[in-house]
Amino acid sequence: VAALSSTQAQALNTAQIAAIETTDISVLSSGALRALGTDQITVLTTDQIQALTSTQVASLSTTQIDGLNTKQVAALETTDLRALSSTAVRALDTAQIDALGTDQVAALTSSQVASLTSDQFAGLSTSDIQALTSAQVAALSSSQIQGLNTNQVAALETTDLRALSSTALRALDTAQIDALNTDQLSSLSSAQVASLLSTQLAGLSTGDIQALTSAQVAALSSTQAQALNTAQIAAIETTDISVLSSGALRALGTDQIT
């Protein structure tokens, strides 16, 4: 099998491809494997897929990757999945992305995660989102963040949320901000809170405001404080109001003070 040329491999019918032993498929040259058509790729069993080496998987073309069925995608070993180029990862459709297990999602490199399209992100389940590592979340772009639905935003682990850059955090719209629970909000760093837009702060409920820590309240700028509505101002805990900066306090309007 190792001696088969690209032309010979390409000439095999689907029944012959499916008949190759797992011990033999692993020695098929990358050139021969890359020569296989999508009709040949789709008949590979999950055992054959798992028998492929990382080098072989890395050699697959985007057309071949796109031709994998969901069971084959789910059978890819984590080390093999990491071997895929960012271009190959982008070739996965939403059904294939949805077929990935949480261990596979967590195994993706930061570069691979950063290469995912908004449509691919939409294919991730809340369990997949929870499986993301802090390094993966830190690699997310503003457009990827904007593509998350509210359920996905609510599924972000607190440690992962803290990994978001201020730029990525500012990309969240008011509906996404509203989807954050109090544990998530209170986990944000002071720098992250200070980076929030006035429109984002307006999306916080009174319960969210009460969940803010003293360090977070102390980080509020004059512009941010001025953007809070009267209900939000009234919701600030007494221990937190005492750490509001003089500039932020001075920025409050008479309707907020009263």
Side-chain angles (χ1 to χ4, degrees), residues 70-139:
T70 53
K71 288 183 179 179
Q72 290 174 317
V73 170
L76 285 169
E77 295 186 345
T78 55
T79 51
D80 297 338
L81 195 60
R82 286 174 65 89
L84 289 175
S85 67
S86 294
T87 302
V89 170
R90 280 198 300 273
L92 295 170
D93 61 30
T94 52
Q96 290 172 314
I97 289 289
D98 187 54
L100 294 174
T102 53
D103 58 331
Q104 291 175 304
V105 171
L108 294 173
T109 66
S110 296
S111 296
Q112 288 174 319
V113 171
S115 73
L116 293 175
T117 66
S118 298
D119 286 339
Q120 287 176 311
F121 251 92
L124 294 178
S125 66
T126 52
S127 295
D128 292 332
I129 294 294
Q130 289 176 327
L132 293 174
T133 66
S134 295
Q136 289 173 319
V137 172

Side-chain angles (χ1 to χ4, degrees), residues 52-249:
L52 294 175
T53 66
S54 296
T55 301
Q56 288 176 312
V57 172
S59 73
L60 294 174
S61 69
T62 54
T63 302
Q64 290 174 316
I65 291 294
D66 187 54
L68 294 174
N69 61 48
T70 53
K71 288 183 179 179
Q72 290 174 317
V73 170
L76 285 169
E77 295 186 345
T78 55
T79 51
D80 297 338
L81 195 60
R82 286 174 65 89
L84 289 175
S85 67
S86 294
T87 302
V89 170
R90 280 198 300 273
L92 295 170
D93 61 30
T94 52
Q96 290 172 314
I97 289 289
D98 187 54
L100 294 174
T102 53
D103 58 331
Q104 291 175 304
V105 171
L108 294 173
T109 66
S110 296
S111 296
Q112 288 174 319
V113 171
S115 73
L116 293 175
T117 66
S118 298
D119 286 339
Q120 287 176 311
F121 251 92
L124 294 178
S125 66
T126 52
S127 295
D128 292 332
I129 294 294
Q130 289 176 327
L132 293 174
T133 66
S134 295
Q136 289 173 319
V137 172
L140 297 179
S141 67
S142 296
S143 60
Q144 288 174 316
I145 290 295
Q146 287 175 327
L148 295 175
N149 61 47
T150 53
N151 288 331
Q152 289 174 316
V153 170
L156 285 167
E157 301 278 350
T158 54
T159 51
D160 297 338
L161 197 58
R162 283 178 65 90
L164 280 178
S165 68
S166 294
T167 301
L169 192 64
R170 282 197 298 271
L172 292 172
D173 61 28
T174 51
Q176 290 172 312
I177 288 289
D178 186 55
L180 295 173
N181 59 46
T182 53
D183 287 338
Q184 289 174 305
L185 284 168
S186 62
S187 73
L188 295 176
S189 69
S190 298
Q192 286 177 312
V193 171
S195 74
L196 291 175
L197 301 172
S198 297
T199 51
Q200 291 176 310
L201 284 174
L204 298 181
S205 68
T206 53
D208 294 333
I209 294 294
Q210 289 175 329
L212 294 177
T213 66
S214 295
Q216 290 173 321
V217 172
L220 293 176
S221 68
S222 300
T223 303
Q224 288 175 314
Q226 200 170 38
L228 296 175
N229 61 44
T230 54
Q232 289 174 316
I233 291 291
I236 299 175
E237 299 283 346
T238 53
T239 52
D240 297 333
I241 199 75
S242 64
V243 297
L244 195 64
S245 71
S246 299
L249 187 62

